[in-house]
Amino acid sequence: MAEECIFCRIVAGEIPSDIVYQDGDFLAFRDIMPKAPTHVLIIPRTHITSAAELTEGQEKLAGRLIIIAKNLAEKEGIAENGFRLVINCGSEGGQIVPHLHLHLIGGRQMDAKLG
Ligand code: DGP
């Protein structure tokens, strides 16, 4: 656990969150500043600063993030109409919290253009 990391503190239960999924390796909870009716963050319990820190051999972890997001999209009822998955990486990528997280966003029409 990284002491100063907000998401590590959520994993540790030190900061409350609206958890929608958890298993031994991952946690998913509702974003505190939702950009759409459904906005969930899926994170590994272990501290990985960003997607840029992923290494060869972590394919399973990276893939699980997407599978969990897809399962949650179905559970949230947004899979049929569509949804968006986003990983911001680093400062120019718009990453604010330095703990790898996948945004699952849906429940409204998304702008087709990115950025
Ligand atoms: P990013 O820009 O990709 O680093 O997005 C970080 C997201 O994390 C942002 O949408 C707001 C959310 N967030 C920040 N702090 C908290 C928190 O304490 N609880 C929850 N649930 N979400 C948070």
Side-chain angles (χ1 to χ4, degrees):
M1 172 178 168
E3 296 291 330
E4 301 303 319
C5 174
I6 294 170
F7 288 177
C8 281
R9 295 187 65 201
I10 286 176
V11 169
E14 294 173 10
I15 295 175
S17 65
D18 186 355
I19 293 170
V20 294
Y21 174 82
Q22 56 185 316
D23 64 27
D25 298 315
F26 297 91
L27 193 65
F29 52 90
R30 295 194 192 281
D31 194 293
I32 207 167
M33 293 182 287
K35 307 287 188 300
T38 293
H39 190 164
V40 170
L41 304 172
I42 302 105
I43 70 169
R45 286 182 183 271
T46 185
H47 184 81
I48 298 170
T49 304
S50 78
E53 301 298 314
L54 285 168
T55 57
E56 300 292 334
Q58 290 185 305
E59 293 88 351
K60 194 173 172 190
L61 182 150
R64 273 299 290 163
L65 281 176
I66 296 175
I67 297 297
I68 291 168
K70 177 227 120 177
N71 290 341
L72 285 171
E74 289 171 359
K75 195 173 157 195
E76 295 280 320
I78 58 171
E80 196 175 334
N81 285 350
F83 53 88
R84 180 167 285 178
L85 300 179
V86 176
I87 297 178
N88 296 322
C89 184
S91 61
E92 284 201 7
Q95 184 179 8
I96 294 166
V97 178
H99 182 127
L100 175 63
H101 52 281
L102 175 61
H103 295 257
L104 165 63
I105 306 165
R108 67 166 170 80
Q109 181 62 51
M110 298 292 151
D111 192 329
K113 72 175 191 300
L114 295 175

